[in-house]
Amino acid sequence: MFGPTIYLTTARQSMPRGHKQESIMSRTTRRFQRAVAPVAPVTSGDWADAFATRDINGDITDWYLANTGHDTSLAYQEIAGGLTIHAAWLTANNGNGRVWQDDARWHVERYRTTGTITVNADNVTIVNCHVNSSGALYAMRSTTNCTGLVVEHTTFQGNQANPNGATINFPAATEPDQVVFRYTDFSGWRAGIYCFGGITAEYCYSHDLYFTEGSHNTGASIRARNCTLYRCLITDGNSAAISCYAENTPYTGILIQENTLRLQESDTGPEVIMAKEYANPLPGETRRLVGNLFYRGYVGGDTFGFTEISGNIDINGNPVTG
């Protein structure tokens, strides 16, 4: 009754603006790419044009290298050991050229830290920041269940410095779009886009995870309700590119749409997995896997854990249904 429904999908939002970024890549990423260093996409620069090529290791990767992460041409204020953003900090730094308020929303930009950015204030937009980790457990978190957080053109660089590190940690978030990441680069952590709930990631790039002996790594993981992964490039996992664990109920409002998915070069596992022990959806729950591009074309676990699987293809254009 609650098996996958097949029908066409539509785009979620308009195309992103252009943005140039220096590439932060290890040899793991480079071996999937052309011999020459990528610069701007070889297509027109539009996401849809790159996606339509199905060239995961070429045009598509080039697009994300050019359009995600912080702008390296800007000047950044260096903060060692981490940055905590709360109401008093925002008020104290208001008008310093990096922090300002527009109506009820705070804007923070051009900070670089070796530790964790902790956001304990509501309605904050963070743009062009850089976590260059020296061993922090997380790149960004909240200990107060902040709401209205938007992070854009930011780099979370884990540097393979913490074997237990998860890039983001918002364990109490539950509401749709409570925390939003756009054009953000995730690398060098054990877990990439780690979603407990209430997380939206759009046009993000997750790659070069931190592997240790016996570790299970995924480029993105969805553990609770109201999570969206939209038009992201999610790579380098060994368990899966995206893993779904319905550890919290209801497990609904799950949308995985128009992403590009690839595992490690030598891995033969599924790009997407729905853990069987949590798989059966309850009446009214929505768990959609739609319009994604798979390198191999394999959905593991229990495909009936999704309420819709449609429009997915592999790099050869073949349909991916399970």
Side-chain angles (χ1 to χ4, degrees), residues 23 44 67 69-70 76 78 83 93 124 147 188 191 230 240 244 248 314:
S23 60
S44 68
N67 289 279
H70 68 295
Y76 289 79
E78 307 281 345
L83 169 64
N93 288 278
V124 176
T147 63
Y230 179 68
C244 300
N248 299 277
D314 65 19

Side-chain angles (χ1 to χ4, degrees), residues 8-29:
L8 297 177
T9 64
T10 57
R12 190 171 189 265
Q13 67 171 41
S14 60
M15 301 298 120
R17 61 181 177 86
H19 177 77
K20 296 294 181 67
Q21 180 220 356
E22 69 174 357
S23 60
I24 301 172
M25 300 184 296
S26 73
R27 294 175 183 173
T28 303
T29 298

Side-chain angles (χ1 to χ4, degrees), residues 249-264:
T249 56
Y251 190 67
T252 188
I254 308 301
L255 176 62
I256 303 171
Q257 181 176 2
E258 295 179 9
N259 302 282
T260 301
L261 311 174
R262 189 201 69 214
L263 300 176
Q264 283 189 300

Side-chain angles (χ1 to χ4, degrees), residues 265-300:
E265 186 176 30
S266 60
D267 198 274
T268 59
E271 282 101 337
V272 177
I273 187 168
M274 173 69 75
K276 291 183 178 181
E277 60 267 35
Y278 306 113
N280 295 327
L282 299 173
E285 290 186 339
T286 59
R287 309 173 182 180
R288 303 175 61 210
L289 180 68
V290 292
N292 300 282
L293 174 62
F294 289 65
Y295 188 81
R296 291 182 58 250
Y298 180 20
V299 181

Side-chain angles (χ1 to χ4, degrees), residues 191-205:
I193 308 170
Y194 195 72
C195 308
F196 283 100
I199 302 292
T200 293
E202 301 174 332
Y203 299 101
C204 293
Y205 182 21

Side-chain angles (χ1 to χ4, degrees), residues 34-142:
R34 301 189 185 97
V36 297
V39 282
V42 296
T43 64
S44 68
D46 188 275
W47 176 90
D49 290 342
F51 189 76
T53 69
R54 302 200 299 271
D55 185 4
I56 293 177
N57 301 327
D59 288 4
I60 294 174
T61 296
D62 289 351
W63 188 93
Y64 285 90
L65 287 169
N67 289 279
T68 63
H70 68 295
D71 186 341
T72 60
S73 70
L74 301 176
Y76 289 79
Q77 181 172 329
E78 307 281 345
I79 299 179
L83 169 64
T84 298
I85 298 172
H86 49 70
W89 183 91
L90 290 165
T91 299
N93 288 278
N94 189 17
N96 69 356
R98 301 175 189 274
V99 178
W100 72 95
Q101 190 173 27
D102 180 12
D103 293 328
R105 176 160 289 276
W106 287 96
H107 298 262
V108 177
E109 66 173 33
R110 292 176 290 120
Y111 285 94
R112 177 182 285 118
T113 182
T114 57
T116 301
I117 297 178
T118 301
V119 185
N120 288 340
D122 295 336
N123 300 319
V124 176
T125 295
I126 297 173
V127 180
N128 276 317
C129 286
H130 180 197
V131 174
N132 190 18
S133 177
S134 61
L137 186 59
Y138 310 113
M140 182 172 284
R141 66 173 183 169
S142 177

